[in-house]
């Protein structure tokens, strides 16, 4: 082979290699762009991942109006779900007011709280308090003193992702009253909402506003997924007052709110006794309110259970002269 021929040969080989290199570079670039597009598609405009949780089912206990029984219901329902064998966490979103730990009877064991976790001052498993009544249940208390803005959607999402990785099946979010930031934060990731309502007009009106928000401002609505499953929990029900038209009836409230009924909890002095002693009312098996919460949990988990405690209890006179 002449020197010229060898040179020509070498240039051809070099050109081929260069072309090959270029092709691999192009392919790599295309791959990178593809991954970037995919990554962007996985994240919404708030930087929150669109990926679904593996096992975690998010339930918010919400109401709009204050003082209707959200914390009482969160404690009872989370305890009931855990008692059925599901790994459950109950989270207090009421920054500044911290009530859930009292009702769950773990206030003396609070060291770290939800905001400590979000701000990286504590690990989630340091802040979660194992419930003393039932297995599979953990409480994440709210912060009593810190600034409300410390609760962020990104922070909440990170906590939920970690709970999901820890194989939690349910997280029950106890919402603060109102329709401001804290309440919106509590409902944003919900798959299911327990709309807690008292049988009176102002409570029903505020519940209706919350249902509107669930349909417009939740993650499910933003991602155009199936809407949040909103269910009605009617609390502090007094059949004798309904009969005297002093309270709205179950039917009245259902007609106004048009969401499926999860349960009716009667007014009962046992509820205050239970919260004062730090034992969720569902553990009081002799109490009608406890039994009604147990029924609600059964329904939440898909069982059909008839309604109880919605009609007036017959006194001795009524029992003797039963019509
Ligand atoms: N079924 C019931 N019978 C009698 N009292 C009840 C019942 N449910 C709740 N209560 C009482 O109503 C009051 C408010 O309950 P709770 O704190 O659960 O409401 P909340 O909606 O969480 O209030 P907030 O909006 O302030 O967070 C408490 O004193 C509680 O004991
Ligand atoms: Mg509360």
């Amino acid at each position: 082979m002449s020197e010229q021929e060898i040179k020509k040969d070498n240039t051809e080989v070099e050109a081929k290699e260069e072309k090959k290199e270029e092709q691999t570079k192009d392919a790599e670039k295309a791959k990178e762009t593809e991954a970037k597009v995919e990554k962007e598609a996985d994240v919404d405009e708030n930087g929150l991942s669109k990926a679904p949780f593996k096992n975690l089912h998010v339930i918010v206990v919400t109401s709009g109006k204050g003082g209707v029984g959200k914390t009482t219901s969160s404690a009872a329902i989370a305890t009931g779900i855990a008692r059925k064998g599901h790994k459950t966490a109950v989270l207090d979103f009421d920054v500044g007011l911290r009530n859930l730990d009292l009702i769950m009877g773990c206030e003396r064991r609070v060291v770290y709280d939800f905001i400590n976790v979000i701000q990286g001052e504590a690990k989630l498993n340091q802040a979660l308090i194992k419930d003393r009544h039932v297995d599979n249940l953990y409480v994440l208390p709210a912060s009593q003193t810190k600034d409300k803005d410390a609760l962020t959607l990104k922070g909440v999402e990170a906590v939920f992702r970690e709970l999901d990785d820890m194989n939690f099946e349910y997280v029950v979010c106890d919402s603060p009253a109102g329709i401001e930031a804290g309440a919106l934060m509590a409902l944003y990731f919900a798959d299911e909402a327990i709309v807690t309502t008292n049988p009176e007009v102002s409570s029903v009106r505020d519940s209706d506003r919350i249902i509107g928000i669930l349909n417009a401002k939740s993650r499910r609505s933003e991602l155009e997924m199936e809407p949040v499953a909103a269910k009605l929990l009617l609390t502090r029900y007094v059949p004798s007052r309904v009969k005297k038209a002093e309270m709205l009836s179950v039917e009245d409230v259902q007609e106004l709110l048009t969401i499926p009924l999860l349960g009716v909890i009667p007014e009962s002095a046992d509820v205050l006794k239970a919260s004062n002693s730090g034992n969720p009312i569902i553990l009081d098996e002799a109490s009608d309110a406890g039994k009604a919460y147990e029924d609600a949990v059964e329904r939440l988990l898909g069982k059909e259970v008839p309604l109880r405690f919605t009609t007036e209890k017959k006194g001795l006179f009524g029992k003797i002269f039963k019509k």
Side-chain angles (χ1 to χ4, degrees):
M1 209 184 267
S2 71
E3 204 176 307
Q4 240 177 358
E5 272 172 331
I6 293 173
K7 262 192 187 161
K8 192 179 159 221
D9 228 28
N10 277 349
T11 358
E12 268 173 19
V13 171
E14 269 168 25
K16 261 190 195 164
E17 270 174 9
E18 247 171 50
K19 208 173 172 194
K20 223 176 162 185
E21 240 173 63
E22 246 169 55
Q23 273 173 348
T24 13
K25 263 191 195 157
D26 281 349
E28 270 170 19
K29 233 185 183 170
K31 251 190 185 168
E32 262 174 37
T33 335
E34 216 173 88
K36 209 175 156 196
V37 168
E38 236 170 59
K39 217 174 163 197
E40 275 168 8
D42 273 351
V43 171
D44 68 10
E45 64 264 31
N46 298 319
L48 302 171
S49 167
K50 290 186 192 172
F53 298 124
K54 284 179 291 188
N55 288 312
L56 194 71
H57 186 73
V58 183
I59 300 175
V60 63
V61 179
T62 185
S63 69
K65 193 167 192 279
V68 294
K70 292 179 295 294
T71 304
T72 305
S73 302
S74 301
I77 288 168
T79 303
I81 299 173
R83 208 161 51 158
K84 299 267 179 216
H86 301 287
K87 192 169 176 186
T88 305
V90 56
L91 269 55
D92 193 345
F93 277 76
D94 209 344
V95 176
L97 276 177
R98 212 172 93 187
N99 232 340
L100 181 70
D101 51 318
L102 284 171
I103 294 187
M104 297 294 297
C106 64
E107 74 281 7
R108 282 192 298 272
R109 283 192 284 148
V110 175
V111 180
Y112 294 116
D113 58 54
F114 201 170
I115 286 175
N116 289 137
V117 177
I118 286 182
Q119 295 187 330
E121 293 153 359
K123 296 252 160 53
L124 179 58
N125 61 9
Q126 289 178 285
L128 283 174
I129 302 171
K130 192 174 178 341
D131 184 66
R132 62 186 170 91
H133 309 97
V134 297
D135 284 339
N136 307 311
L137 182 59
Y138 295 80
V139 183
L140 185 59
S143 159
Q144 218 157 14
T145 51
K146 294 209 180 104
D147 159 30
K148 289 190 185 200
D149 296 337
L151 211 56
T152 60
L153 282 182
K154 263 201 144 162
V156 174
E157 194 210 11
V159 168
F160 285 178
R161 295 257 166 230
E162 210 176 333
L163 288 172
D164 193 33
D165 289 339
M166 290 160 86
N167 292 321
F168 274 89
E169 289 173 77
Y170 287 92
V171 56
V172 176
C173 308
D174 179 19
S175 172
I179 51 167
E180 285 91 49
L184 298 186
M185 205 73 75
L187 66 76
Y188 186 75
F189 293 97
D191 297 306
E192 198 162 351
I194 299 178
V195 181
T196 313
T197 312
N198 289 164
E200 40 140 310
V201 174
S202 67
S203 175
V204 172
R205 195 182 43 219
D206 289 357
S207 289
D208 205 25
R209 291 180 77 187
I210 274 292
I211 296 169
I213 291 172
L214 285 164
N215 291 331
K217 291 197 172 179
S218 62
R219 175 173 176 265
R220 281 183 167 267
S221 64
E222 281 179 3
L223 297 183
E224 292 175 27
M225 293 161 74
E226 215 175 286
V228 178
K231 288 168 186 169
L232 170 66
L233 185 68
L234 198 52
T235 55
R236 311 200 68 168
Y237 199 71
V238 188
S240 60
R241 294 192 61 197
V242 173
K243 210 173 162 196
K244 285 190 246 161
E246 291 169 3
M247 255 186 191
L248 298 174
S249 69
V250 185
E251 295 76 22
D252 292 336
V253 179
Q254 262 191 296
E255 205 170 294
L256 291 165
L257 293 179
T258 63
I259 54 173
L261 184 64
L262 181 69
V264 179
I265 314 296
E267 170 80 20
S268 158
D270 300 331
V271 172
L272 191 61
K273 264 190 260 163
S275 37
N276 283 341
S277 62
N279 297 303
I281 182 68
I282 199 167
L283 297 173
D284 182 351
E285 281 161 12
S287 145
D288 287 355
K291 290 179 201 161
Y293 273 116
E294 181 60 30
D295 290 352
V297 168
E298 297 266 14
R299 292 186 198 105
L300 194 71
L301 298 178
K303 235 177 153 185
E304 272 189 36
V305 182
L307 274 186
R308 294 192 271 179
F309 318 115
T310 51
T311 49
E312 241 182 311
K313 261 194 176 171
K314 286 198 165 68
L316 188 60
F317 190 76
K319 275 183 190 154
I320 296 168
F321 299 97
K322 210 154 82 187
K323 282 186 190 161

